[in-house]
Amino acid sequence: SKASTTMAPTEGAEAAEVEGQQSVYIARYGLPEAALAEGIGPFDMELASEGLVAASELARFLKESGSIKHIFTSPFKRALHTAAIVSREIELPKVNIEEGLTEWQCPELIGGDSPYQPPSVVHLIERFPELNGKYESITKPVPFETEQEMAGRVGRVARILADSVFPSNILLVSHAPCNIGMGLGFEGVAWENGRRDSKLKPWPLGGLTQFRRGALGAQWDMVKCVSTDHLSGPWKEGKQAWTLPSLR
């Protein structure tokens, strides 16, 4: 896949393993500075101070138990800033912007008349020096896409990313709709069967889901489901949880 040619390969003993535990952590950012009014915006808001704290708390948890080797994020600032904070605090040098993990391309979430597109890596790297300027995204979706198209897109991209760096653990930082789509992909549940077969719950701000497998090509097991145990204060209770319309 394209991903495997644009990323550093795993080195040494790891590279020889076809079996080996791999975990994928999927995180939603914490509280943004402004609430998004559907179809109106703002579409690319900053993190509020509580969102910055949530990113640090995610980093602390992952430093203790995650052993993350690669971080991939949506290019939207609230996801990217979360990924950058984690990268700094777990001392992992690079964050990869993966356009395939970008926000659901629907009028409600990016605007209808002139759909919002985040700045390119060239424009973001000055503010976020953690960014890997050499990484090339697997895909770049264009407006507009249905819920089913979005779920299929992020599910495929997330599985390609995991396979491309196996058996290294990875962190994926994105938006609630995309995270649910990735979760369906790792569960192996088709979008149209999600309400019946998925174990995913509505995804709160700062929530974290973990999937794990024991070999390349093996089935993924859900170890954590939209957990907020790593967060402090009221955020530990799971605030502003969201799920796809098809799962409601």
Side-chain angles (χ1 to χ4, degrees), residues 104-125:
W104 180 5
Q105 302 289 288
C106 68
E108 293 81 4
L109 298 180
I110 60 167
D113 294 335
S114 51
Y116 176 79
Q117 293 294 301
S120 66
V121 173
V122 174
H123 293 98
L124 290 167
I125 205 161

Side-chain angles (χ1 to χ4, degrees), residues 21 59 62 78 111 114-115 130 136 153 181 240-241:
Q21 288 261 320
L62 292 172
R78 52 199 188 275
S114 51
E130 300 82 6
E136 290 179 47
R153 179 247 300 173
Q240 298 185 32

